[in-house]
Amino acid sequence: MAHLKTYYQQAKPINQYIEDMNVNKEGLLSIYNSFDFPKDDARLESLKDKGYRHVLIITEDWCTDAMMNNAILKHISEHLNLEVRAFYRDENTDLIDQYLTNGRARAIPIFIFMNDQYEQIAVWGPRALSVQKFVNTLRQNLPDQSDESYDDKEKEFHQTVRNRYLTDHTFWNDVYESIIKSL
């Protein structure tokens, strides 16, 4: 199993990752540009002394959770002067398999916060609690996978989630709060 530093070195700088996006680039940039980052949050200053230096994101362009959460992380990392790199989950599943959600799901994004020696200090992801509750509630309305309408209903589900992520400032603030609290 590779060390976190190896994965980090293989990953793309966050701005290059965003530049190379094909699916959710416009959405990520829209959220990034619309999010009212709380620059006067005193907790941010205290985080500068905690030794955070690098963030490794396990992500994929097609993921709407990554679209929203990566935009918020980008603000935080810029304010804290953290170096952020994005590692594609599907390129090497050895990394994500170390960060399974509920011990089984390769859910993304996962943010791994590290110090100068690339030692893990904190991990966050894949969703803020309020966002998870929203997704769980919405998912309850999906029919069984054997139902002939399942594919259409699943597409509707994903579009509803994406639309909410693109417009819900409360979710953006909840993601921010969740990340800051985990640090």
Side-chain angles (χ1 to χ4, degrees):
M1 191 81 49
H3 185 276
L4 285 174
K5 181 177 181 179
T6 303
Y7 290 111
Y8 187 84
Q9 291 171 334
Q10 294 171 357
K12 284 185 180 182
I14 187 66
N15 290 334
Q16 184 63 54
Y17 166 78
I18 294 169
E19 183 62 33
D20 292 347
M21 291 176 75
N22 295 311
V23 179
N24 282 311
K25 178 179 180 178
E26 185 178 308
L28 185 150
L29 292 173
S30 174
I31 293 167
Y32 177 82
N33 290 325
S34 300
F35 178 58
D36 187 19
F37 184 76
K39 295 176 183 141
D40 59 347
D41 185 344
R43 296 173 299 175
L44 291 170
E45 288 308 310
S46 68
L47 288 175
K48 290 182 179 180
D49 299 328
K50 297 244 181 196
Y52 297 110
R53 183 69 183 125
H54 307 284
V55 184
L56 180 60
I57 304 171
I58 306 171
T59 191
E60 287 288 342
D61 178 12
W62 50 260
C63 177
T64 54
D65 286 294
M67 173 190 70
M68 177 174 64
N69 297 335
N70 291 349
I72 306 305
L73 175 69
K74 184 167 169 32
H75 274 288
I76 294 168
S77 65
E78 288 169 351
H79 189 81
L80 297 177
N81 198 28
L82 304 176
E83 293 179 26
V84 180
R85 291 189 174 217
F87 187 89
Y88 293 98
R89 179 195 74 174
D90 297 340
E91 282 185 9
N92 180 339
T93 55
D94 287 344
L95 180 59
I96 190 63
D97 286 348
Q98 297 174 53
Y99 298 93
L100 297 176
T101 301
N102 298 324
R104 57 183 167 73
R106 291 179 173 159
I108 52 176
I110 299 292
F111 302 157
I112 306 163
F113 295 87
M114 300 174 284
N115 61 19
D116 281 328
Q117 292 76 42
Y118 301 90
E119 297 166 328
Q120 176 181 305
I121 301 174
V123 176
W124 184 90
R127 294 184 177 119
L129 185 58
S130 64
V131 177
Q132 185 64 53
K133 287 179 181 177
F134 162 72
V135 170
N136 289 348
T137 300
L138 198 60
R139 192 178 303 275
Q140 290 175 352
N141 297 326
L142 284 174
D144 187 78
Q145 288 185 348
S146 63
D147 188 301
E148 64 183 43
S149 70
Y150 179 80
D151 288 343
D152 290 337
K153 295 293 184 185
E154 186 184 38
K155 286 178 187 172
E156 288 175 27
F157 164 82
H158 287 293
Q159 190 60 51
T160 300
V161 169
R162 185 177 198 284
N163 290 343
R164 183 83 179 264
Y165 286 3
L166 285 169
T167 58
D168 193 329
H169 294 251
T170 302
F171 277 177
W172 304 348
N173 290 324
D174 289 350
V175 169
Y176 170 82
E177 284 296 324
S178 180
I179 294 170
I180 294 300
K181 286 177 183 173
S182 74
L183 297 177

